[in-house]
Amino acid sequence: MGRIGAFIKVPRRDPPERDPRERIGDLREFVGTLPLTELREQGARCMECGVPFCHSGCPLGNLIPDWNDLVYRDRWHEAIEQLHRTNNFPEFTGRLCPAPCEAACVLEINEGNAVTIKQIEVAIVNRAWEEGWVVPQPAATRTGRSVAVVGSGPAGLACAQQLARAGHDVTVYERDEAAGGLVRFGVPEFKIEKWLVERRVQQLAAEGVEFVFGADVGGTVDVAELRQRHDALVLATGSRIPRDLPVTGRELDGVHYAMDYLYARMRGENTPTAAGKHVIVIGGGDTGADCVGHANREGAASITQIELLGEPPPLRPDDVTPWPLWPMKLRTSYALKEGGERSFAVSTTGLSGDSRVERIHWMQNSGAPPFDVLPGTEETHPADLVLLAMGFVGPEQQLLEALGVERDPRSNAAAPEFATSVDGVFAAGDARRGQSLIVWAIAEGRQCAREVDRFLMGETQLP
């Protein structure tokens, strides 16, 4: 694979980004890719590893060395064929996945030197769309079997596409007004522009997938009727119950769940707005970063992101997360590069104000469970908008209860092999495994489709 010695002679080059001072003035994507000639050089850095650990780092099992080599050899059409063999939506993962494959790259033993796998991936699929190589692949024959997929996030879309290509009649039921789940409504436009999502939705529609929007299954859509109408049912509803903050003042106006704030941005709604406000984001993950990014673009007076955990070390701690595991080390999000402050090991003790939140009260903690607060560390800060981005605790329970599906100890649908306790009902994605990465969602959708196909036909040829 690649060019002998290139991993030594060619330095890693990260994808270009627009200047933070410029990009906060619009909602366009800010991460690009290198020119094709330079991408070929980056592909050449991929070594002929005896064991390509990038495979183990990628939940989809992407054939990474194969398409790196094809890019190096300027065989882009073959590269997209290899990429699509394992990944239905590489333009999603190439933009949104944190790239555990790069953390597992053999070159990452020399920290910061991994092959730029994610950049090459998105460059392949971008060129494939530009060249017209990505076309609908409708099934040649139909099985006459019908499947309902509830939820149109990455897991639901991947499952639906695989089942449609197997010849089944697939209907996706989505509560929102458009498909994509959090990729469309939760992730900001400046990380993935929504025409990219719609382009894939249209590909699925051309392959025979039917979409029903505004369909709240278990609410406005009767579960018994849905089961009667279809031979199998897939639950891909995500993990959408947000973790709350049980402190004094939580009920004040101006305190919102992060996803409510992000959904409002994607729907073009003006409230709640960060403009001119002192914004506090509680939670240090991707959702929190996206809140910081939007607050920067809205012209917040100040932005502070606080994290319960202590500050991680600047480099991979080999005693905790040795290579090729995902390293628990300090990272600075794109959003904080645009503006804002960050504090670690902070426990929120209360919120105060006269009907609306005005101040936040916190104390430093030990930085690790059980996060004991440290006496004498009390602080108070201005807070006009508080966004709770502390993760999700599980899927909404109404639908699971209506179906009689057993739950695991974390309230997810109990489906060890994707089949739930109810015959003909399956689960995939965050609804099955809990809050996770987009790459896991797509992998789950594909694997679930295999089990549904096997249930309907007695065997499966799906990859």
Side-chain angles (χ1 to χ4, degrees):
M1 298 295 175
R3 189 170 67 243
I4 295 176
F7 69 94
I8 298 174
K9 300 171 185 175
V10 179
R12 172 186 167 103
R13 287 202 58 194
D14 290 314
E17 295 184 4
R18 290 195 288 137
D19 189 288
R21 292 168 296 182
E22 171 205 330
R23 70 197 194 211
I24 62 172
D26 59 61
L27 296 176
R28 293 183 292 111
E29 286 187 25
F30 60 87
V31 181
T33 56
L34 295 169
L36 298 186
T37 52
E38 294 186 45
L39 283 168
R40 291 181 62 191
E41 287 295 285
Q42 292 299 302
R45 297 182 68 243
C46 188
M47 303 162 59
E48 191 171 354
C49 299
V51 178
F53 282 88
C54 55
H55 284 192
S56 66
C58 177
L60 279 164
N62 279 337
L63 305 171
I64 295 164
D66 302 59
W67 38 261
N68 279 337
D69 188 58
L70 289 167
V71 165
Y72 161 57
R73 300 180 190 283
D74 205 25
R75 292 157 59 180
W76 292 79
H77 194 286
E78 292 173 71
I80 189 59
E81 290 177 347
Q82 287 288 72
L83 186 48
H84 271 150
R85 282 181 63 186
T86 56
N87 187 350
N88 297 65
F89 315 123
E91 65 271 43
F92 296 0
T93 53
R95 287 170 168 84
L96 304 178
C97 180
C101 53
E102 293 189 20
C105 175
V106 172
L107 290 179
E108 186 60 16
I109 293 174
N110 178 15
E111 194 164 352
N113 200 39
V115 175
T116 58
I117 298 167
K118 181 175 173 179
Q119 176 182 200
I120 294 172
E121 175 184 25
V122 78
I124 293 170
V125 69
N126 284 351
R127 182 170 182 185
W129 279 105
E130 291 165 5
E131 299 286 350
W133 299 334
V134 183
V135 295
Q137 301 176 38
T141 59
R142 312 302 302 176
T143 65
R145 301 299 180 88
S146 173
V147 183
V149 177
V150 184
S152 69
L157 291 179
C159 186
Q161 184 165 57
Q162 294 297 97
L163 290 169
R165 289 177 175 178
H168 304 303
D169 298 325
V170 182
T171 303
V172 175
Y173 295 87
E174 170 55 54
R175 181 171 56 187
D176 290 325
E177 64 272 26
L182 296 189
V183 176
R184 184 186 286 266
F185 291 105
V187 178
E189 186 89 11
F190 45 83
K191 287 176 68 176
I192 181 168
E193 295 178 8
K194 303 314 166 186
W195 63 269
L196 293 164
V197 181
E198 185 59 28
R199 183 172 62 181
R200 276 294 182 184
V201 173
Q202 292 306 313
Q203 183 196 30
L204 267 68
E207 293 174 355
V209 177
E210 180 182 352
F211 289 90
V212 180
F213 299 119
D216 184 10
V217 178
T220 57
V221 177
D222 183 68
V223 172
E225 181 184 341
L226 200 67
R227 291 216 62 199
Q228 191 173 26
R229 193 184 310 161
H230 299 281
D231 299 308
L233 176 65
V234 177
L235 303 175
T237 55
S239 177
R240 296 293 298 275
I241 300 177
R243 182 172 284 108
D244 208 346
L245 181 67
V247 298
T248 303
R250 166 64 181 89
E251 74 287 351
L252 293 169
D253 289 343
V255 184
H256 302 271
Y257 289 120
M259 204 51 66
D260 293 341
Y261 172 74
L262 295 174
Y263 257 66
R265 308 277 78 71
M266 295 315 305
R267 287 181 167 138
E269 299 168 3
N270 294 325
T271 55
T273 179
K277 295 181 178 178
H278 296 291
V279 179
I280 304 292
V281 178
I282 303 178
D286 288 342
T287 300
D290 293 344
C291 290
V292 173
H294 264 299
N296 276 317
R297 284 158 178 77
E298 290 181 342
S302 70
I303 307 169
T304 304
Q305 186 175 18
I306 59 176
E307 169 65 73
L308 184 67
L309 291 166
E311 182 173 343
L315 298 176
R316 177 194 290 272
D318 287 331
D319 57 331
V320 180
T321 51
W323 177 88
L325 300 180
W326 178 254
M328 300 301 293
K329 67 178 183 179
L330 182 65
R331 296 175 176 83
T332 299
S333 70
Y334 74 91
L336 286 170
K337 293 175 184 177
E338 298 167 351
E341 302 295 329
R342 173 173 56 176
S343 293
F344 292 95
V346 171
S347 293
T348 303
T349 55
L351 304 165
S352 61
D354 183 11
S355 75
R356 284 194 58 85
V357 65
E358 297 174 6
R359 305 193 72 77
I360 183 170
H361 310 272
W362 73 55
M363 297 178 68
Q364 295 296 131
N365 66 47
S366 60
F371 303 107
D372 295 323
V373 295
L374 306 180
T377 61
E378 297 86 354
E379 296 183 34
T380 301
H381 296 265
D384 305 312
L385 177 65
V386 176
L387 301 174
L388 309 181
M390 303 176 295
F392 302 87
V393 297
E396 296 172 11
Q397 298 295 300
Q398 181 180 358
L399 177 55
L400 300 179
E401 291 169 358
L403 287 164
V405 169
E406 291 181 5
R407 267 62 58 86
D408 68 14
R410 296 186 300 155
S411 82
N412 303 315
E417 300 297 329
F418 301 95
T420 71
S421 58
V422 179
D423 189 47
V425 178
F426 298 79
D430 289 3
R432 188 188 83 97
R433 65 178 288 116
Q435 180 188 0
S436 192
L437 305 176
I438 184 172
V439 68
W440 269 112
I442 297 172
E444 290 255 320
R446 290 173 61 90
Q447 293 172 41
C448 182
R450 278 177 53 86
E451 298 309 312
V452 175
D453 189 39
R454 195 192 316 274
F455 168 78
L456 295 173
M457 307 302 294
E459 59 181 6
T460 182
Q461 300 299 316
L462 284 174

